[in-house]
Amino acid sequence: MDELYKYLISISPLQTETWNLIKELFVETSLKKGDYFIKEGLTAKSIGFLKNGVIRAFYRDREGSEYNKHFFISNNLVGGYSSLVTQMPNKIHLQALTDCQLLTANYNELIALYEDHQDFERFGRKLAEMFFVHKEEREVNIVMLDADKRYLIFQNQFPDLEQLIPQYHIASYLGITPTQLSRIRKKFSKK
């Protein structure tokens, strides 16, 4: 629970009473490599804190091609955020790329704390703002930056991920082919 507490207060301070209520809602769970945290079409009910491991968020088109949207790495919240907020079916898959250890909580029970705990409601607002800014930056980068620059940003955001997951997942996240990624990696390894 220490990692979860550190994560939460890195975003916004919490009173001891609030933290004590929050931590009671989380339980330990795990995913094996290949397991899903949630699949497309299901309505999200749980939010997780990824203690260790890697989870990818991805879309699958009608032909079965997959497009990686995001990677969740250790010490981050994970969940089908849009589905949690709207209570509509999830539009993405969240799949473990490695064995994962998580703390999970029922989202509705968690946000019920907003009513009486303004410090936690403030945390929720700040978290939503962070997600929005990150999403906007990612969208701008995909459209405005070339593949070389997107790769450098990826390396900065996820410094050890290349050693943990297959190259084709990284290529999909960057919006390029695995062959293009190999060329980019080769070019940067010569520098």
Side-chain angles (χ1 to χ4, degrees), residues 80-139:
Y81 193 66
S82 293
S83 179
L84 288 168
V85 171
T86 65
Q87 292 299 291
M88 300 294 290
N90 204 44
K91 295 180 182 176
I92 60 173
H93 299 276
L94 298 178
Q95 182 186 39
L97 293 178
T98 65
D99 289 347
C100 298
Q101 297 296 317
L102 301 102
L103 298 169
T104 59
N106 178 285
Y107 180 75
N108 288 332
E109 290 176 9
L110 198 58
I111 64 165
L113 297 176
Y114 286 176
E115 191 66 33
D116 296 321
H117 301 276
Q118 188 177 24
D119 55 335
F120 190 54
E121 184 178 30
R122 185 178 309 111
F123 164 83
R125 177 183 52 81
K126 288 184 174 185
L127 182 68
E129 291 169 351
M130 280 177 30
F131 283 169
F132 177 82
V133 169
H134 178 75
K135 182 179 180 341
E136 185 177 86
E137 286 174 354
R138 171 110 171 96
E139 290 168 351

Side-chain angles (χ1 to χ4, degrees), residues 39-163:
K39 289 185 175 183
E40 173 191 15
L42 300 175
T43 302
K45 303 282 186 223
S46 296
I47 190 162
F49 177 75
L50 186 58
K51 290 173 59 175
N52 59 60
V54 179
I55 294 176
R56 71 177 175 134
F58 72 97
Y59 300 94
R60 186 177 288 136
D61 67 18
R62 292 179 189 189
E63 290 77 40
S65 297
E66 297 177 354
Y67 302 92
N68 288 325
K69 174 184 183 261
H70 186 70
F71 296 112
F72 297 95
I73 56 174
S74 299
N75 296 322
N76 279 286
L77 290 176
V78 59
Y81 193 66
S82 293
S83 179
L84 288 168
V85 171
T86 65
Q87 292 299 291
M88 300 294 290
N90 204 44
K91 295 180 182 176
I92 60 173
H93 299 276
L94 298 178
Q95 182 186 39
L97 293 178
T98 65
D99 289 347
C100 298
Q101 297 296 317
L102 301 102
L103 298 169
T104 59
N106 178 285
Y107 180 75
N108 288 332
E109 290 176 9
L110 198 58
I111 64 165
L113 297 176
Y114 286 176
E115 191 66 33
D116 296 321
H117 301 276
Q118 188 177 24
D119 55 335
F120 190 54
E121 184 178 30
R122 185 178 309 111
F123 164 83
R125 177 183 52 81
K126 288 184 174 185
L127 182 68
E129 291 169 351
M130 280 177 30
F131 283 169
F132 177 82
V133 169
H134 178 75
K135 182 179 180 341
E136 185 177 86
E137 286 174 354
R138 171 110 171 96
E139 290 168 351
V140 168
N141 290 346
I142 284 287
V143 174
M144 301 300 290
L145 300 179
D146 64 30
D148 288 5
K149 289 183 179 135
R150 291 195 310 270
Y151 176 69
L152 292 174
I153 291 169
F154 166 82
Q155 283 188 312
N156 186 49
Q157 288 179 334
F158 304 104
D160 300 320
L161 202 52
E162 285 185 88
Q163 288 71 44

